[in-house]
Amino acid sequence: MNFVTPEIAWAPLAPILIVLVAASAAILIEAFIRTPATRRLVQLAVALVALVAALGTAAVQWALLDGAGTVVMDGMITVDRQALAWQSMILVFGVLGMILFAARTRAGEESFTPLGSTAPGSIEETLARRKGLQLTEVFPLGLFAVGGMMLFTSVTDYIFLFVALEVFSLPLYILVALSRRRRLLSQEGALKYFLLGAFSSAIFLFGAALVYGATAHTSYSAVAYAMELGGANDALLVTGAVMIVAGLLFKIGAVPFHSWTPDAYQGAPTPVTAFMAAATKAAATAALLRIMYTSLHPLEWELSWLFWAAAIASMALGTVLALVQTDVKRMLAYSSVAHAGFILVAFAGLEGEALSALPFYLLAYGLASIGAFAVVTQVRERTEDGSVGAEAVRLGQWAGLGKRSPLLAGAMSLFLLSFAGIPLTAGFVGKFEAFSAAIAGGGWPLVLIAVVASAVAAFFYVRLVVLMFLTDVPEGAEDDIAVEDSPLVRLVIWVTAVATVLLGILPAGALGLLEDAAVLLVSLGA
Amino acid sequence: MNPMNYVILASILFAIGSAAVLLRRNAIVAFMGVELMLNAANLSLVAFARIHDQLDGQVMAFFVMVVAAAEVVVGLAIIIAVFRARQSISLDEPAELKG
C-alpha cells in the first residue's frame, strides 16, 4: 500500500489553527512567566488577540469564498459559509467568555480557585490564597475548548468528529471543577459532567463504528452516498445512526440526556457556565445540523421519532422542572433544557429554512445566556463580617434587586424576556424563525407544543422579573446582598444587551447574512 | 473464523460497559465502564476494517486510543480531587446537587 501525502489547504483552516496554536503557546506561557499578575495579563491578551484574529480571518474567508466552499484534507473538514457562520459565533462567545473569566470583584477576587489541586477548606488552600496564586490555566483551557468547538462545526467525518468532541469537552470538564467558592459543589458537578459526558461520547463512538461497519465509510457524504446506493446493512446502520444522534443530543442537553445540565451549570464557576451554555449548545447544534442534512438524511423517517420524542420531552420536562427551582443558576439550566427542545423542533422535516433559523436562534440564545450568567456573577452575598462573599443564587435573595441596581435588574429582565421569546427581543425572532422552519417541514404538532411550552416558560421568567422589580427587599435583609460593579462584566452585559435588542428590532441584517450561509457543501471527497 | 463474531463480542462488551456506568455507584468502576465501552468501539472498528478489507478502521482505533488516554488523565484528576475533598468516591454520597 502506498502512502500518499495529502495536500492540505491551510488557508481555510486558518481561524481554527490560530486558536489552537495560541492555546498551545498559552501553555508555554504558563511555564515561563512566574509572577501570577503578569501571567494573567499576558494570558488574557494572548487569548483575546487570538480570538479576534481568528474572527478577522473567518471574515476574510467569508468574503473570499468562491462558490459553496472548500473541502480540506480529503473531506475530513468542510469550510463553507455555514461552517464559517458557526465558527464566528463561537469565537464571539469565546471573546465574551474570556472577558468574564478575567473579571474580578471589587476586593480583587476571581471566579477560580487559586490552586485546583488543593482540597476545599484545607490549609494548603488558605496558603495558596494568601500567597496570591492564580489559576491562569483557565485561558488556555478556554482557547482549546473554543478551537475544538470550531472544529466540531466544520468536521465532516465521524471519527474526526469524535476527536473534536473530546478536544472541546475535556477542557470544559476541568473548567467546571475550578470554582473558587462552593468548591464541593463545583467538583461534584464536574464529576457528573465528566462521567456522563464520557458515557455519551462512547455511545457516539460506537454508533460511528457501526455506521462504518454498515457502509465502509466514515465521511458524512460517503455514508449518505452508500445509503442511497443501497446494499448497506440496515440494522447496523439504523442502530449506529440512533447512537450517533443520541451522543449529540447529550451535548445539546436534550431529555433524556439532560441530567448533567443542572449539576454542571450550578456547580461550575459562573463565567464558565456562561461560556459553556452558549458555545456548547451552538457547537453541538451545528454538528447535528451538518450530520442530519448531509449524512443521515436518507434515514430521516427512521430518526424522526427520536427527534420528536426528545423535543417534546425536553420542552415539557425543562419547563416543568424550571418552574420548581429555587436556585437561579439551576433555573437557567432547566430553561436551557427547554431551549434544547425548541432547537430540536426546527429539525422537523429537515427544511432548508432551518439552516438560517438555527444559527440565528443559537446566536440569540447564546447572547442572552452569557448576559444572564454575567448578571449572576454580580449579585453577591455579604458575609457576617461585611465582606463580599459567594454569589447569591437563591431566588429569594434577588427580591428587590431592581432597587439595588436598576441597570443589572433591567439587563437581566431583558435577557429573561429574550429567553421567553417576547417580541422586540432577539429570542422572539429566533423562535419565530425556528418554528416557521418546523411548520414548513410539516412539524405543526411540535410547534403547537412548543408554543404552549413557551407560554408556560414565560411564567417562571416573568416571576423572576416580578421578584426583582415589584417585590420589596425583606425586612432586615437590606445589607445581605452586595452588588458588584466589575467594569469587564459590565462591558459584557452591555454588549449582550445591546445585541439582544438590536437583533430583536432589526434582525434583517443578521438574517440576510445567515441566509447566505444556508448552504451546506456536500462533496464526495473520500 | 467469521469476523462478525468480533462485532458481536464488541456489542456484548459495550453493553457490559454501559451497565457498569449506569448501575455501579463507585466513580472509578463507572469510569472503567466508560473505558470498556471505548474499547468495545475499538474492537468493532478493527473487526469492520477486516470485514471491509481496509486499513481505515485500524487507523481510527489509534485515534480513539489517544483520546481515551487523554480522557483518563482528566477523569482521574477530577476523581482524585473529589476523593481528597470528601474521602469517598461514591456517586450516591455527593448529594449537594439535587432536584
Side-chain angles (χ1 to χ4, degrees):
Chain A
M1 216 174 252
N2 283 324
F3 181 75
V4 187
T5 323
E7 268 197 31
I8 298 177
W10 295 104
L13 295 177
I16 301 173
L17 289 176
I18 289 174
V19 174
L20 290 177
V21 167
S24 312
I27 293 206
L28 289 178
I29 293 173
E30 210 45 56
F32 284 108
I33 302 184
R34 289 274 183 78
T35 344
T38 329
R39 198 172 61 218
R40 173 174 168 275
L41 283 180
V42 174
Q43 290 284 27
L44 178 63
V46 167
L48 289 181
V49 167
L51 292 174
V52 172
L55 198 57
T57 328
V60 173
Q61 291 289 336
W62 178 289
L64 295 182
L65 212 60
D66 50 332
T70 331
V71 178
V72 192
M73 303 213 291
D74 286 343
M76 289 284 184
I77 298 182
T78 303
V79 179
D80 48 19
R81 286 226 161 86
Q82 179 84 14
L84 287 171
W86 287 105
Q87 286 183 9
S88 315
M89 190 193 304
I90 287 167
L91 283 168
V92 170
F93 294 161
V95 170
L96 295 172
M98 291 294 169
I99 297 177
L100 287 182
F101 281 13
R104 295 179 181 181
T105 65
R106 238 169 296 173
E109 181 184 302
E110 298 153 342
S111 316
F112 299 99
T113 172
L115 199 58
S117 55
T118 55
S122 64
I123 303 167
E124 291 86 355
E125 192 194 24
T126 324
L127 282 177
R129 194 167 293 180
R130 205 171 297 160
K131 209 151 176 248
L133 295 189
Q134 289 183 20
L135 207 67
T136 46
E137 284 96 340
V138 292
F139 295 105
L141 285 172
L143 280 178
F144 272 119
V146 171
M149 285 173 187
M150 290 167 72
L151 257 184
F152 201 59
T153 61
S154 338
V155 164
T156 40
D157 182 280
Y158 285 110
I159 300 298
F160 199 13
L161 189 75
F162 171 73
V163 176
L165 175 81
E166 295 292 336
V167 169
F168 87 74
S169 296
L170 294 179
L172 283 180
Y173 300 146
I174 305 174
L175 283 171
V176 170
L178 295 179
S179 181
R180 184 180 194 100
R181 303 267 177 179
R182 303 195 174 105
R183 285 189 63 198
L184 286 180
L185 211 68
S186 168
Q187 292 181 347
E188 185 184 329
L191 180 62
K192 287 184 179 170
Y193 186 25
F194 169 76
L195 277 179
L196 290 169
F199 181 59
S200 77
S201 41
I203 292 178
F204 171 86
L205 180 70
F206 201 75
L210 291 183
V211 167
Y212 169 64
T215 60
H217 292 286
T218 54
S219 134
Y220 290 1
S221 45
V223 166
Y225 187 62
M227 268 189 251
E228 269 154 12
L229 226 54
N233 185 329
D234 275 343
L236 277 186
L237 197 60
V238 175
T239 321
V242 167
M243 290 171 95
I244 285 174
V245 173
L248 289 171
L249 288 185
F250 176 92
K251 285 290 162 200
I252 293 186
V255 175
F257 313 102
H258 69 292
S259 50
W260 61 276
T261 322
D263 294 345
Y265 278 35
Q266 188 190 355
T270 310
V272 175
T273 315
F275 169 69
M276 191 167 87
T280 311
K281 219 176 261 287
T285 309
L288 188 61
L289 197 71
R290 195 173 279 279
I291 287 183
M292 286 313 294
Y293 279 76
T294 65
S295 183
L296 297 181
H297 51 86
L299 292 176
E300 200 238 324
W301 189 82
E302 284 89 341
L303 292 176
S304 60
W305 63 270
L306 184 61
F307 278 87
W308 281 57
I312 295 173
S314 307
M315 290 186 289
L317 211 64
T319 310
V320 170
L321 287 175
L323 281 175
V324 299
Q325 296 306 318
T326 54
D327 180 299
V328 177
K329 280 168 94 178
R330 231 174 152 75
M331 187 194 88
L332 290 175
Y334 278 110
S335 115
S336 94
V337 173
H339 277 275
F342 298 140
I343 291 168
L344 292 180
V345 166
F347 278 90
L350 299 184
E351 285 299 315
E353 277 97 328
L355 290 176
S356 58
L358 279 173
F360 190 91
Y361 189 98
L362 267 296
L363 182 64
Y365 169 78
L367 288 172
S369 285
I370 292 181
F373 283 110
V375 173
V376 173
T377 62
Q378 297 299 284
V379 184
R380 300 270 179 157
E381 285 170 350
R382 210 183 275 284
T383 50
E384 279 171 13
D385 58 0
S387 60
V388 175
E391 285 150 5
V393 283
R394 270 186 297 117
L395 275 183
Q397 293 174 311
W398 285 59
L401 187 70
K403 294 203 182 67
R404 288 202 171 95
S405 168
L407 185 80
L408 279 188
M412 188 69 176
S413 310
L414 174 68
F415 300 134
L416 291 172
L417 294 179
S418 180
F419 281 142
I422 306 292
L424 296 186
T425 59
F428 171 74
V429 185
K431 274 203 174 121
F432 180 79
E433 291 287 317
F435 295 170
S436 324
I439 288 180
W444 64 266
L446 272 183
V447 174
L448 207 62
I449 299 172
V451 170
V452 173
S454 302
V456 178
F459 172 74
F460 62 80
Y461 295 126
V462 172
R463 187 178 60 180
L464 185 54
V465 175
V466 169
L467 198 64
M468 287 189 297
F469 281 107
L470 302 179
T471 315
D472 286 328
V473 182
E475 287 282 323
E478 286 84 2
D479 294 332
D480 287 4
I481 301 296
V483 176
E484 284 289 330
D485 58 351
S486 155
L488 289 177
V489 179
R490 287 289 153 105
L491 173 72
V492 171
I493 294 175
W494 272 110
V495 169
T496 46
V498 169
T500 303
V501 174
L502 272 185
L503 288 176
I505 300 174
L506 304 165
L511 279 175
L513 274 180
L514 290 173
E515 254 150 46
D516 288 344
V519 189
L520 286 164
L521 175 64
V522 182
S523 67
L524 285 172
Chain B
M1 190 173 167
N2 182 0
M4 207 56 197
N5 290 337
Y6 287 99
V7 178
I8 294 166
L9 174 65
S11 310
I12 295 170
L13 287 177
F14 185 82
I16 296 174
S18 39
V21 178
L22 296 174
L23 301 177
R24 294 300 296 269
R25 297 291 81 191
N26 182 311
I28 296 266
V29 179
F31 187 35
M32 281 161 59
V34 171
E35 292 300 310
L36 195 57
M37 290 164 80
L38 289 178
N39 282 318
N42 266 349
L43 181 60
S44 60
L45 277 176
V46 174
F48 284 130
R50 176 83 182 152
I51 292 172
H52 297 311
D53 205 13
Q54 290 177 338
L55 277 181
D56 298 22
Q58 304 202 17
V59 176
M60 292 169 212
F62 278 114
F63 279 96
V64 177
M65 277 181 216
V66 173
V67 169
E71 205 170 63
V72 169
V73 173
V74 172
L76 286 183
I78 293 174
I79 292 175
I80 288 174
V82 171
F83 179 76
R84 275 197 188 162
R86 37 175 111 234
Q87 313 298 320
S88 147
I89 44 168
S90 163
L91 290 175
D92 283 333
E93 208 172 291
E96 308 254 331
L97 297 165
K98 270 185 188 155

